[in-house]
Amino acid sequence: MSESEVSKPKRVRVMIVDDSALVREMLTGILSADPEIEVVGTAPDPLVAREKIKALNPDVITLDVEMPHMSGIEFLEKIMRLRPMPVVMISTLTQEGADTTLRALELGAVDYVAKPTQRLSESFGALKEEICSKVKMAATARVRGAGSARRPAAAAAQAAPAAAGAENHLDAIAIGASTGGVEALGELLSAVPPGSPGILVVQHMPGNFTGRFAARLDATLPLKVTEAQDGAAILPGCVYIGPGGRHLALAREANGKLVCRVTEGPAESGHVPSVDHLFRSMAQLGRRTVGVILTGMGRDGAAGLKLMREAGAHTIAQDAATSVVYGMPRVAVELDAAASVLPLSRIAGAMLAAGGATNAGGR
């Protein structure tokens, strides 16, 4: 093997699964144009894809939802049970049907791209950068099989006995997440018992998704989960999901009551809602809060978590081994913003036991 072959970086090997020949052709053109990506095969349906995956062993699959013989969601479920691997959903239903996309993310899909419904060539061209970046990011993701999904809420709640002694010492908890966060938040919140401090959550997600995301969590958890409304009182046992396209913050009113503050505003750290925006507002309460940063691409939340720690709050970052994408937590650790770095399964107990702890310095 020549020296040039040894030094040549490995390209991400992708398989495209879509029942539309036109879409397969367009995606092949977009992905193949990126020097860091190689399209190793395409398939018109899951049955063909199954055999090609065995033969070609791709690094990443792009997967449509509506296909003959078996839906993309059914196929994704089988993949995550039998051969877990990074999957990026690309379908019109991911744009219009938030529940479909959320189900895919809950099952372990790394990310999604909304397929355009009109003027495909022009619209796909505008998505080129997003498609390529998400495929390359997916190749670095740590994908867990279906057997590692969230525990039943009742059993999980029993696994966090530390909450009972800590709940009266905390005013609120803030959690930020991005890529991989839908699955991680479901698991984390399933381990939080009723009566725990109010929890404010920023998950990077479009505006038409956050309401459905809150509703899905509310239907499966012992907590009350809603999309945050401006002025809503922060109450024990309640979770407030920041609405996509608007910022979420904590505010203290003149009478001392803590409320959600939902506002329009420019992107912070590249996002609306921004985790940094939420964490910065939490820092005003100091040691009576906990900040948690979960799996995600980029750096949103790291600077805000640092402010929280400097104000005396207890701060936690998810560890690399359990993060789907170790981006946001990694930057927080590098900034020394996290007092604790923990696997996902230990975060609920740690954040609920943190009431009254001062962690402004040291590790």
Side-chain angles (χ1 to χ4, degrees), residues 90-310:
I90 301 183
S91 171
T92 54
L93 289 182
T94 61
Q95 187 173 35
E96 299 170 0
D99 280 322
T100 302
T101 305
L102 291 168
R103 179 59 181 155
L105 297 173
E106 289 167 352
L107 287 170
V110 175
D111 214 329
Y112 65 92
V113 175
K115 183 195 297 181
T117 56
Q118 296 178 338
R119 303 172 69 177
L120 291 183
S121 180
E122 179 181 335
S123 299
F124 261 120
L127 293 171
K128 178 179 179 179
E129 183 177 345
E130 178 185 357
I131 292 170
C132 291
S133 66
K134 287 187 174 181
V135 164
K136 287 186 284 189
M137 179 274 297
T140 69
R142 296 170 178 84
V143 178
R144 299 188 297 168
S148 60
R150 77 179 73 163
R151 297 169 292 168
Q158 293 176 4
E167 59 187 5
N168 293 329
H169 302 288
L170 291 174
D171 287 325
I173 295 169
I175 303 174
S178 189
T179 312
V182 169
E183 189 179 9
L185 282 164
E187 181 173 336
L188 171 58
L189 294 174
S190 72
V192 177
S196 300
I199 300 174
L200 288 75
V201 175
V202 164
Q203 162 71 48
H204 294 158
M205 192 175 281
N208 60 328
F209 277 41
T210 45
R212 294 305 308 151
F213 180 45
R216 291 178 72 89
L217 289 174
D218 186 60
T220 59
L221 299 177
L223 305 167
K224 176 63 177 175
V225 185
T226 60
E227 186 176 45
Q229 302 293 321
D230 187 50
I234 297 172
L235 303 173
C238 294
V239 179
Y240 307 87
I241 307 294
R246 288 177 287 170
H247 288 301
L248 172 64
L250 173 147
R252 187 189 292 278
E253 295 191 328
N255 60 7
K257 183 174 70 172
L258 297 178
V259 299
C260 294
R261 187 63 67 220
V262 176
T263 57
E264 305 286 343
E268 295 185 28
S269 305
H271 297 279
V272 183
S274 163
V275 183
D276 272 328
H277 186 95
L278 172 61
F279 285 173
R280 191 167 61 247
S281 73
M282 298 291 291
Q284 66 181 302
L285 298 184
R287 61 183 294 168
R288 296 186 65 85
T289 65
V290 174
V292 179
I293 193 163
L294 300 177
T295 172
M297 181 171 59
R299 59 185 304 117
D300 186 25
L305 197 70
K306 178 72 169 177
L307 291 175
M308 288 187 68
R309 189 176 188 193
E310 290 172 345

